[in-house]
Amino acid sequence: MDTKRQGEIAVKFVKYYMRKEGIRFSLNSVREFGNLAQEIGVPIQELKDFIRPLAQEVLDEALR
């Protein structure tokens, strides 16, 4: 499997997880977000840039 397909599957997985578990926002979750970025070795801004459109899509679906 090539990396492009892996990325497509990863995005679908993240959206599925966000729909199933929900999206929570608080000062504590911001701290956890920073910890997650550090644990997976991704700059926090890149992680935010990755999650933002996915979270918006899930939110838009919920508000339809």
Side-chain angles (χ1 to χ4, degrees), residues 35-48:
N35 292 340
L36 173 62
Q38 187 174 10
E39 285 184 38
I40 65 174
V42 174
I44 190 166
Q45 190 58 51
E46 283 186 13
L47 185 57
K48 288 178 181 179

Side-chain angles (χ1 to χ4, degrees), residues 7-23 50-59 61:
E8 292 168 351
I9 292 170
V11 167
K12 288 177 185 259
F13 174 79
V14 170
K15 284 197 266 186
Y16 170 83
Y17 190 82
M18 291 170 87
R19 286 182 191 105
K20 183 176 169 132
E21 298 298 321
I23 303 170
F50 175 77
I51 292 294
R52 184 174 285 115
L54 301 179
Q56 186 64 53
E57 184 177 330
V58 170
L59 179 61
E61 289 173 4

